[in-house]
Every structure is written in structure tokens, then in C-alpha cells.
Amino acid sequence: MKTDQRRRILSATMTTLTALCALFAVLVLLVILGYIIWRGVGALNWRFLIDTPKPVGEGGGIGNAIVGSLLLIALASAMGIPFGIATGLYLAEYGGGRFGNLVRFVADTLTGVPSIVVGVFVYAVIVLPMQQFSAFAGSVALAVIMVPIVARTTEEMIRLVPGSLREAALALGAPQWRATLGIVMPAAASGIATGAMLAIARIAGETAPLLFTAFGSRFFSLYLDQPIASLTVQIYNYAISPYDEWHAQAWAATLVLMALILAINFAVRFFTRRRY
């Protein structure tokens, strides 16, 4: 009886501790979001969202940076997400040998590599040969950051799919590739989408690799072979400036960036919830 009571007390204690830890994490997030809103909402207006940067005292906005960030994220996602999903699928279904272990090791290593190192690498292999900064180089740098995150998340999500689903498909005569693509992937789609969402949120806040690749621009640009603006670089430039007006715009741009990331999160969760 004493042993059973001791187990109940221990279970209740650990449950309470985990609940407190979760509450603390949520409170920290709310405090950060609340502070960003408090500092940034004052400088937000319609002109700020559509104008380009202007000299101090003349207002200006971040319209070019919003367009540039969306373009960079879209291009990086188009390159990094399919490659990462394919890599994770291979690791989960066929990566039991030495080559699979090597790929996992490389993916784990890339996940921990500082983003500035990726930026320097892309600067050496793309920017220098092209002899100019470009949106394409920035997208490649962000895609390199995305791939290991998507790959490892995809592998773990596919491994969580019950083996009975694979066995049922194989028992009905479906080849392994058909069972994987038609049964396993849809079952793990929600988790895979979550991994892609995390990767997008990660690259949306990157600054260092873009300083070496996309660099920045004070104008609207959709050309892939030209420098392009981004929210993170513009926030960085405004934050280190000596002007209070630009500091306020940096906070407002940070609020817009957070809203963009949250919008992507909600959109991905909404569509995956409805479909799967």
C-alpha cells in the first residue's frame, strides 16, 4: 500500500512539474510577443507596409522587404522541402545501412552548423562566380538550412506510421514504392507538414546568410540575379542605426515578421487538418 501511495505521489509531482514547465514556456512566448507588439504597433500603418525605405525624417516603409522575404522563402521552400522530404523518406524506408547512417550524421551535423557558415559557403560557390549578390544565392543558402530539418523530421514522422499499414498494402499486392507513396506518406503528411513549417519559421528569421548572399536593396525587385531586400536584413540595418525613428521601424518590422511566421503556421495546420 505504501509503495502504491508513493507511486501516486511521484506521478502527481512529475505531472505537476511538466505542466509548470509547459506553462512557463507559453508565458515566455506570450511575454516576447507582447513586448514586440507593444514596441512595434505604434509605427504600423498602411504606408509603412507598402512604401520603400526613405531617408530619416521622411517616413518610408518595408514593402520591398516583405516582397523580398516572401520571394526568398518561396524559392527556398521550393528547393529545400522536396529534397528534404525525399531524403527523409529514403532514410526511413531504405536507410538502414552504412550510407543511411552517413546521411543521418551529415544531416545532424548540418542542423548544428551556424547559419553564417552556410552564408559564407554559398558566397564562395555562387556569389563570387556570379560576381554579384542575388536572390537566387540567398534562396540557396536558406534551402541548405531547411534540408536537414525537413529530412530528419520526415524520417521520424514516417517511422511513427504503424507497420500494419505497410503490411496491409503489401498483402494486397501493392509494390513497396506504391505502399510508401500511397499509404505511408498520407498517414504521415501532417507531421511532415509540421516539419516543413518549422523549417520555414527557421529560415524566415535568418539574417547572417542573407548578408553574404542576397545582401539587400532599397527598391522593389523580383529578379533572381539581383540583390533583394528582406525583413531580417532591414531589421538588422535599422536596429544598429543611431536614429530613434529607424529603431521604431525595426520593432514594427519585427512585428510584421512575427505575424508572417504565425500566418504560415496557421495556414499549414489548417490545410493539413482538413485534408488528413
Side-chain angles (χ1 to χ4, degrees), residues 14-49:
M14 297 306 298
T15 301
T16 303
L17 288 176
T18 53
L20 290 175
C21 290
L23 178 62
F24 177 76
V26 173
L27 287 177
V28 170
L29 176 61
L30 292 177
V31 169
I32 294 174
L33 292 177
Y35 187 75
I36 292 174
I37 294 173
W38 176 61
R39 294 296 301 268
V41 72
L44 273 181
N45 56 69
W46 178 247
R47 300 300 306 177
F48 177 75
L49 296 177

Short mmCIF file of all heavy atoms in Angstrom, two decimals, residues 14-49:
data_model
loop_
_atom_site.label_atom_id
_atom_site.label_comp_id
_atom_site.label_asym_id
_atom_site.label_seq_id
_atom_site.Cartn_x
_atom_site.Cartn_y
_atom_site.Cartn_z
N MET A 14 5.47 14.69 -10.77
CA MET A 14 6.06 14.84 -12.09
C MET A 14 5.06 15.47 -13.08
O MET A 14 5.46 16.28 -13.93
CB MET A 14 6.54 13.49 -12.61
CG MET A 14 7.64 12.86 -11.78
SD MET A 14 9.06 13.96 -11.56
CE MET A 14 9.58 14.18 -13.25
N THR A 15 3.79 15.09 -12.96
CA THR A 15 2.78 15.70 -13.83
C THR A 15 2.68 17.19 -13.58
O THR A 15 2.58 18.00 -14.51
CB THR A 15 1.42 15.03 -13.60
OG1 THR A 15 1.51 13.63 -13.87
CG2 THR A 15 0.36 15.65 -14.50
N THR A 16 2.72 17.57 -12.31
CA THR A 16 2.66 18.99 -11.96
C THR A 16 3.87 19.74 -12.49
O THR A 16 3.77 20.86 -13.02
CB THR A 16 2.56 19.16 -10.44
OG1 THR A 16 1.41 18.45 -9.96
CG2 THR A 16 2.45 20.62 -10.06
N LEU A 17 5.06 19.13 -12.35
CA LEU A 17 6.29 19.78 -12.83
C LEU A 17 6.26 19.97 -14.35
O LEU A 17 6.64 21.02 -14.85
CB LEU A 17 7.50 18.95 -12.42
CG LEU A 17 7.87 18.97 -10.94
CD1 LEU A 17 9.04 18.04 -10.66
CD2 LEU A 17 8.21 20.39 -10.49
N THR A 18 5.82 18.94 -15.07
CA THR A 18 5.76 19.08 -16.53
C THR A 18 4.74 20.14 -16.94
O THR A 18 4.97 20.91 -17.88
CB THR A 18 5.41 17.74 -17.18
OG1 THR A 18 4.20 17.22 -16.60
CG2 THR A 18 6.53 16.73 -16.97
N ALA A 19 3.62 20.20 -16.22
CA ALA A 19 2.62 21.22 -16.52
C ALA A 19 3.17 22.62 -16.26
O ALA A 19 2.94 23.55 -17.04
CB ALA A 19 1.35 20.98 -15.70
N LEU A 20 3.92 22.78 -15.17
CA LEU A 20 4.52 24.07 -14.86
C LEU A 20 5.55 24.47 -15.91
O LEU A 20 5.64 25.64 -16.31
CB LEU A 20 5.16 24.04 -13.48
CG LEU A 20 4.19 23.97 -12.28
CD1 LEU A 20 4.96 23.82 -10.98
CD2 LEU A 20 3.31 25.21 -12.24
N CYS A 21 6.33 23.50 -16.38
CA CYS A 21 7.32 23.78 -17.42
C CYS A 21 6.64 24.22 -18.72
O CYS A 21 7.07 25.17 -19.38
CB CYS A 21 8.19 22.55 -17.67
SG CYS A 21 9.33 22.15 -16.33
N ALA A 22 5.56 23.52 -19.08
CA ALA A 22 4.82 23.91 -20.28
C ALA A 22 4.22 25.29 -20.13
O ALA A 22 4.25 26.12 -21.06
CB ALA A 22 3.72 22.88 -20.55
N LEU A 23 3.67 25.59 -18.94
CA LEU A 23 3.10 26.91 -18.68
C LEU A 23 4.18 27.99 -18.76
O LEU A 23 3.94 29.08 -19.32
CB LEU A 23 2.43 26.93 -17.31
CG LEU A 23 1.82 28.26 -16.86
CD1 LEU A 23 0.70 28.66 -17.81
CD2 LEU A 23 1.29 28.15 -15.43
N PHE A 24 5.35 27.71 -18.24
CA PHE A 24 6.45 28.67 -18.28
C PHE A 24 6.86 28.96 -19.73
O PHE A 24 7.09 30.12 -20.10
CB PHE A 24 7.64 28.13 -17.50
CG PHE A 24 8.85 29.03 -17.54
CD1 PHE A 24 8.90 30.18 -16.78
CD2 PHE A 24 9.93 28.70 -18.35
CE1 PHE A 24 10.01 31.01 -16.83
CE2 PHE A 24 11.04 29.52 -18.39
CZ PHE A 24 11.09 30.69 -17.63
N ALA A 25 6.94 27.91 -20.55
CA ALA A 25 7.30 28.10 -21.95
C ALA A 25 6.28 28.96 -22.67
O ALA A 25 6.62 29.86 -23.46
CB ALA A 25 7.45 26.75 -22.66
N VAL A 26 4.99 28.71 -22.41
CA VAL A 26 3.94 29.51 -23.04
C VAL A 26 4.00 30.96 -22.56
O VAL A 26 3.84 31.90 -23.36
CB VAL A 26 2.56 28.89 -22.74
CG1 VAL A 26 1.45 29.81 -23.24
CG2 VAL A 26 2.44 27.52 -23.39
N LEU A 27 4.25 31.16 -21.27
CA LEU A 27 4.32 32.51 -20.73
C LEU A 27 5.49 33.28 -21.35
O LEU A 27 5.37 34.47 -21.65
CB LEU A 27 4.45 32.46 -19.21
CG LEU A 27 3.20 32.06 -18.44
CD1 LEU A 27 3.48 31.99 -16.94
CD2 LEU A 27 2.06 33.04 -18.70
N VAL A 28 6.63 32.61 -21.51
CA VAL A 28 7.79 33.27 -22.13
C VAL A 28 7.44 33.72 -23.55
O VAL A 28 7.75 34.84 -23.96
CB VAL A 28 9.00 32.32 -22.14
CG1 VAL A 28 10.12 32.89 -23.00
CG2 VAL A 28 9.51 32.09 -20.72
N LEU A 29 6.78 32.84 -24.30
CA LEU A 29 6.37 33.19 -25.66
C LEU A 29 5.41 34.38 -25.65
O LEU A 29 5.55 35.31 -26.46
CB LEU A 29 5.71 31.99 -26.34
CG LEU A 29 5.14 32.23 -27.74
CD1 LEU A 29 6.24 32.65 -28.70
CD2 LEU A 29 4.43 30.98 -28.25
N LEU A 30 4.44 34.36 -24.74
CA LEU A 30 3.47 35.46 -24.67
C LEU A 30 4.15 36.77 -24.28
O LEU A 30 3.79 37.84 -24.81
CB LEU A 30 2.36 35.11 -23.68
CG LEU A 30 1.43 33.97 -24.09
CD1 LEU A 30 0.42 33.69 -22.98
CD2 LEU A 30 0.71 34.30 -25.39
N VAL A 31 5.11 36.70 -23.38
CA VAL A 31 5.83 37.92 -22.98
C VAL A 31 6.60 38.50 -24.15
O VAL A 31 6.59 39.71 -24.40
CB VAL A 31 6.78 37.62 -21.79
CG1 VAL A 31 7.73 38.78 -21.55
CG2 VAL A 31 5.97 37.34 -20.54
N ILE A 32 7.28 37.63 -24.90
CA ILE A 32 8.05 38.10 -26.06
C ILE A 32 7.12 38.72 -27.10
O ILE A 32 7.39 39.82 -27.60
CB ILE A 32 8.85 36.93 -26.67
CG1 ILE A 32 9.93 36.46 -25.68
CG2 ILE A 32 9.49 37.35 -27.99
CD1 ILE A 32 10.67 35.23 -26.15
N LEU A 33 6.04 38.02 -27.42
CA LEU A 33 5.09 38.55 -28.40
C LEU A 33 4.46 39.86 -27.91
O LEU A 33 4.30 40.81 -28.68
CB LEU A 33 4.00 37.52 -28.68
CG LEU A 33 4.42 36.25 -29.43
CD1 LEU A 33 3.24 35.30 -29.57
CD2 LEU A 33 4.98 36.59 -30.80
N GLY A 34 4.11 39.90 -26.63
CA GLY A 34 3.51 41.11 -26.08
C GLY A 34 4.46 42.30 -26.14
O GLY A 34 4.06 43.42 -26.48
N TYR A 35 5.73 42.06 -25.85
CA TYR A 35 6.71 43.15 -25.88
C TYR A 35 6.92 43.65 -27.30
O TYR A 35 7.02 44.86 -27.55
CB TYR A 35 8.02 42.67 -25.28
CG TYR A 35 9.05 43.77 -25.12
CD1 TYR A 35 8.93 44.72 -24.11
CD2 TYR A 35 10.12 43.88 -26.00
CE1 TYR A 35 9.86 45.73 -23.96
CE2 TYR A 35 11.06 44.90 -25.86
CZ TYR A 35 10.92 45.82 -24.84
OH TYR A 35 11.84 46.83 -24.69
N ILE A 36 6.98 42.71 -28.26
CA ILE A 36 7.15 43.10 -29.67
C ILE A 36 5.95 43.92 -30.14
O ILE A 36 6.09 44.93 -30.83
CB ILE A 36 7.35 41.86 -30.55
CG1 ILE A 36 8.68 41.20 -30.25
CG2 ILE A 36 7.27 42.23 -32.03
CD1 ILE A 36 8.89 39.88 -30.97
N ILE A 37 4.75 43.48 -29.75
CA ILE A 37 3.54 44.22 -30.13
C ILE A 37 3.56 45.62 -29.51
O ILE A 37 3.24 46.61 -30.17
CB ILE A 37 2.28 43.44 -29.70
CG1 ILE A 37 2.17 42.14 -30.50
CG2 ILE A 37 1.03 44.29 -29.88
CD1 ILE A 37 1.06 41.23 -30.03
N TRP A 38 3.93 45.70 -28.26
CA TRP A 38 3.95 47.00 -27.55
C TRP A 38 4.93 47.97 -28.19
O TRP A 38 4.64 49.16 -28.35
CB TRP A 38 4.30 46.77 -26.09
CG TRP A 38 4.46 48.04 -25.30
CD1 TRP A 38 3.50 48.99 -25.08
CD2 TRP A 38 5.64 48.50 -24.65
NE1 TRP A 38 4.02 50.01 -24.33
CE2 TRP A 38 5.33 49.74 -24.05
CE3 TRP A 38 6.92 47.98 -24.51
CZ2 TRP A 38 6.26 50.47 -23.32
CZ3 TRP A 38 7.86 48.69 -23.78
CH2 TRP A 38 7.53 49.93 -23.19
N ARG A 39 6.11 47.47 -28.59
CA ARG A 39 7.12 48.34 -29.17
C ARG A 39 6.87 48.64 -30.65
O ARG A 39 7.28 49.69 -31.16
CB ARG A 39 8.51 47.71 -29.02
CG ARG A 39 9.00 47.58 -27.60
CD ARG A 39 9.19 48.95 -26.95
NE ARG A 39 10.13 49.78 -27.70
CZ ARG A 39 11.44 49.83 -27.43
NH1 ARG A 39 11.94 49.09 -26.45
NH2 ARG A 39 12.23 50.61 -28.13
N GLY A 40 6.20 47.71 -31.36
CA GLY A 40 6.11 47.86 -32.80
C GLY A 40 4.80 48.39 -33.34
O GLY A 40 4.76 48.91 -34.46
N VAL A 41 3.71 48.26 -32.57
CA VAL A 41 2.40 48.61 -33.13
C VAL A 41 2.27 50.11 -33.38
O VAL A 41 1.52 50.53 -34.28
CB VAL A 41 1.29 48.13 -32.17
CG1 VAL A 41 1.24 48.99 -30.90
CG2 VAL A 41 -0.06 48.13 -32.88
N GLY A 42 3.03 50.93 -32.68
CA GLY A 42 2.92 52.37 -32.84
C GLY A 42 3.37 52.86 -34.21
O GLY A 42 2.88 53.88 -34.71
N ALA A 43 4.32 52.16 -34.83
CA ALA A 43 4.85 52.59 -36.13
C ALA A 43 4.14 51.92 -37.29
O ALA A 43 4.49 52.18 -38.45
CB ALA A 43 6.35 52.30 -36.19
N LEU A 44 3.16 51.06 -37.01
CA LEU A 44 2.48 50.35 -38.08
C LEU A 44 1.38 51.21 -38.70
O LEU A 44 0.57 51.81 -38.00
CB LEU A 44 1.85 49.05 -37.55
CG LEU A 44 2.73 47.81 -37.51
CD1 LEU A 44 1.93 46.63 -36.99
CD2 LEU A 44 3.29 47.49 -38.89
N ASN A 45 1.38 51.26 -40.01
CA ASN A 45 0.30 51.87 -40.77
C ASN A 45 0.38 51.34 -42.20
O ASN A 45 1.32 50.64 -42.57
CB ASN A 45 0.38 53.41 -40.74
CG ASN A 45 1.72 53.92 -41.22
OD1 ASN A 45 2.05 53.81 -42.40
ND2 ASN A 45 2.51 54.48 -40.29
N TRP A 46 -0.62 51.69 -42.99
CA TRP A 46 -0.69 51.14 -44.34
C TRP A 46 0.49 51.57 -45.19
O TRP A 46 1.05 50.78 -45.94
CB TRP A 46 -2.01 51.55 -44.98
CG TRP A 46 -2.14 51.07 -46.40
CD1 TRP A 46 -2.17 51.84 -47.53
CD2 TRP A 46 -2.27 49.72 -46.83
NE1 TRP A 46 -2.30 51.05 -48.64
CE2 TRP A 46 -2.36 49.73 -48.25
CE3 TRP A 46 -2.30 48.49 -46.17
CZ2 TRP A 46 -2.49 48.58 -49.00
CZ3 TRP A 46 -2.43 47.33 -46.93
CH2 TRP A 46 -2.52 47.39 -48.32
N ARG A 47 0.89 52.83 -45.09
CA ARG A 47 2.02 53.31 -45.88
C ARG A 47 3.31 52.60 -45.50
O ARG A 47 4.15 52.33 -46.35
CB ARG A 47 2.20 54.82 -45.68
CG ARG A 47 1.02 55.67 -46.08
CD ARG A 47 0.67 55.51 -47.55
NE ARG A 47 1.80 55.74 -48.44
CZ ARG A 47 1.76 55.60 -49.75
NH1 ARG A 47 0.64 55.20 -50.34
NH2 ARG A 47 2.83 55.84 -50.49
N PHE A 48 3.45 52.27 -44.24
CA PHE A 48 4.66 51.57 -43.79
C PHE A 48 4.76 50.20 -44.43
O PHE A 48 5.86 49.71 -44.70
CB PHE A 48 4.62 51.44 -42.26
CG PHE A 48 5.78 50.67 -41.69
CD1 PHE A 48 7.03 51.24 -41.60
CD2 PHE A 48 5.62 49.37 -41.22
CE1 PHE A 48 8.11 50.55 -41.07
CE2 PHE A 48 6.67 48.66 -40.69
CZ PHE A 48 7.93 49.26 -40.62
N LEU A 49 3.62 49.56 -44.70
CA LEU A 49 3.62 48.21 -45.26
C LEU A 49 3.85 48.18 -46.77
O LEU A 49 4.18 47.12 -47.31
CB LEU A 49 2.30 47.51 -44.94
CG LEU A 49 2.00 47.27 -43.46
CD1 LEU A 49 0.63 46.64 -43.29
CD2 LEU A 49 3.07 46.39 -42.83
#
